Amino acid sequence: MKAVQYKDYGNPDVLKRVDDALIPVCGPHEIRIKVVCAGINPFDVKKRSGMMSKGHPLDAPIIPSTEASGIVDALGSQVTDTKIGDAVFGFAFGGAACEYALLSQWSHKPDNVSFETAGSVLVSAHAALRALNELDLKQGNTLFVHGGSGGVGQATIQMAIAKGLSVIADGSEKNQALIQSLGATPIRYGEHLVRDVYAHAPNGIDGIVDTSGTQLEDLLTIAKTPLKIRTLANYDGPSFGVKIPSYPKDSKQLLDEITGYLADGRLKVKVTGKFTLDQAQEAHRFVQTQHTSGRSVFIINENL
Ligand SMILES: NC(=O)c1ccc[n+]([C@@H]2O[C@H](COP(=O)([O-])OP(=O)(O)OC[C@H]3O[C@@H](n4cnc5c(N)ncnc54)[C@H](OP(=O)(O)O)[C@@H]3O)[C@@H](O)[C@H]2O)c1
């Protein structure tokens, strides 16, 4: 099958389009889809760069992207809640930038949600929901989202508002209107962050979701305790008492909640990067700018 692969870690040049990748075979609890769209996330960029490899070289080619939408074309022997031909989206930890991918966790795609949205929402929305759940805020509480204009930030804002929170979020100057359109109070990140958060929340902040990985000292000043912060982007966080949200064994409840928000329109995805498999290098260069203002996808089969 057609796929993007890399055989060595490195810059985007290591990404190659191939025609002879093996079509994967379902394990008992997996489904296989004919991929329509595959999401491209900062995680894919970090993994490809080798920063997560602990110095170990690759022993087999990697297909990037870990989420996809598409049409079910094969079922594992233990799968009972899905049938061939269903439109689904989910996690594809074995790689999704290819024609056929295995999903280990999935949800049915609501009819009113596009394949582009479904194929690029999960990595970011799942992380956002894990962070929000761990903060366990109550209706009327105030949340600050650091990096509110990115994929995770936009998902965090929208789901926080769906839960009845009041949200302040930062982004660059060009993304102030975007943040406001999602229902949050926009401010800029950088030098005056503490002052600007307090200008909008004189009584303090009840929780912070950090998607940017910068300005940890300021976040600690704003929150007054690391316990009120969850970071998705700062690996130094734990040494300051700031937790990275953990990954639950069973995600079904999270997937169902995200699917519900998509179906009723409370969670919308802005897809700002659309690429073919031939444009994989360009796609990763775009995502690694960290200023895409939305999600990015490979469009692999638009005829389905
Ligand atoms: N642990 C997990 O499961 C998990 C899951 C998903 C994502 N993540 C991580 O979460 C992070 C965000 O992911 P994403 O998909 O939302 O990325 P993204 O779409 O690229 O968003 C990046 C965000 O950071 C902001 N930003 C860029 N430079 C900044 C700076 N110098 N100071 C402050 N903010 C800055 C951007 O704002 P502007 O564009 O307005 O400048 C934007 O809001 C990544 O590190 C990703 O790996 C972790």
Side-chain angles (χ1 to χ4, degrees):
M1 65 172 175
K2 291 179 189 147
V4 174
Q5 284 185 341
Y6 54 98
K7 295 181 176 169
D8 296 299
Y9 295 118
N11 67 32
D13 295 345
V14 299
L15 298 167
K16 306 287 178 218
R17 226 304 299 282
V18 301
D19 288 319
D20 58 355
L22 293 177
I23 294 178
V25 177
C26 291
H29 299 283
E30 293 174 321
I31 59 173
R32 188 175 67 199
I33 59 167
K34 201 163 167 45
V35 179
V36 176
C37 290
I40 313 164
N41 285 282
F43 169 78
D44 307 320
V45 165
K46 291 178 190 173
K47 186 173 172 188
R48 184 220 69 229
S49 75
M51 73 175 270
M52 293 163 152
S53 69
K54 298 182 179 155
H56 300 301
L58 279 174
D59 51 14
I62 298 271
I63 295 177
S65 291
T66 58
E67 63 176 322
S69 59
I71 303 294
V72 179
D73 97 311
L75 300 171
S77 58
Q78 302 299 310
V79 175
T80 53
D81 62 350
T82 304
K83 57 185 192 316
I84 289 172
D86 285 356
V88 297
F89 64 109
F91 286 115
F93 295 117
C98 53
E99 289 181 291
Y100 295 89
L102 299 181
L103 302 188
S104 52
Q105 297 166 40
W106 63 89
S107 192
H108 284 86
K109 183 183 80 60
D111 289 342
N112 60 333
V113 173
S114 71
F115 281 101
E116 288 177 9
T117 286
S120 61
V121 68
L122 209 46
V123 168
S124 49
H126 195 272
L129 201 47
R130 286 183 342 251
L132 286 172
N133 286 350
E134 287 193 12
L135 286 172
D136 195 23
L137 302 177
K138 306 284 170 262
Q139 201 162 0
N141 281 168
T142 301
L143 174 77
F144 172 52
V145 183
H146 183 44
S149 49
V152 181
Q154 291 180 35
T156 309
I157 293 171
Q158 293 176 83
M159 292 190 290
I161 285 173
K163 289 172 184 293
L165 305 181
S166 167
V167 185
I168 299 168
D170 69 6
S172 56
E173 181 61 39
K174 80 172 165 72
N175 283 325
Q176 298 293 291
L178 164 67
I179 290 169
Q180 190 156 31
S181 74
L182 299 174
T185 301
I187 60 174
R188 270 168 294 169
Y189 52 68
E191 204 184 344
H192 301 299
L193 189 65
V194 177
R195 181 199 71 187
D196 290 350
V197 169
Y198 272 91
H200 293 287
N203 297 326
I205 289 290
D206 301 298
I208 295 179
V209 176
D210 167 33
T211 85
S212 152
T214 62
Q215 297 191 251
L216 183 58
E217 211 175 307
D218 289 335
L219 300 186
L220 288 164
T221 303
I222 293 165
K224 298 199 167 84
T225 161
L227 301 176
K228 286 187 181 174
I229 308 175
R230 288 296 179 278
T231 184
L232 291 157
N234 193 329
Y235 300 118
D236 292 334
S239 52
F240 293 87
V242 174
K243 289 187 183 162
I244 296 172
S246 58
Y247 201 96
K249 250 190 188 159
D250 180 5
S251 276
K252 182 155 175 30
Q253 214 179 325
L254 292 179
L255 260 71
D256 286 349
E257 189 172 344
I258 291 166
T259 307
Y261 290 138
L262 287 170
D264 69 19
R266 285 187 288 176
L267 175 59
K268 292 198 164 67
V269 173
K270 199 165 163 248
V271 179
T272 54
K274 300 182 189 183
F275 302 91
T276 64
L277 293 180
D278 289 324
Q279 296 170 313
Q281 296 181 3
E282 189 187 322
H284 272 219
R285 281 194 194 95
F286 178 66
V287 170
Q288 70 192 26
T289 63
Q290 297 177 49
H291 298 289
T292 64
S293 310
R295 295 267 54 103
S296 298
V297 286
F298 287 117
I299 297 179
I300 296 170
N301 197 331
E302 39 190 340
N303 299 322
L304 289 175

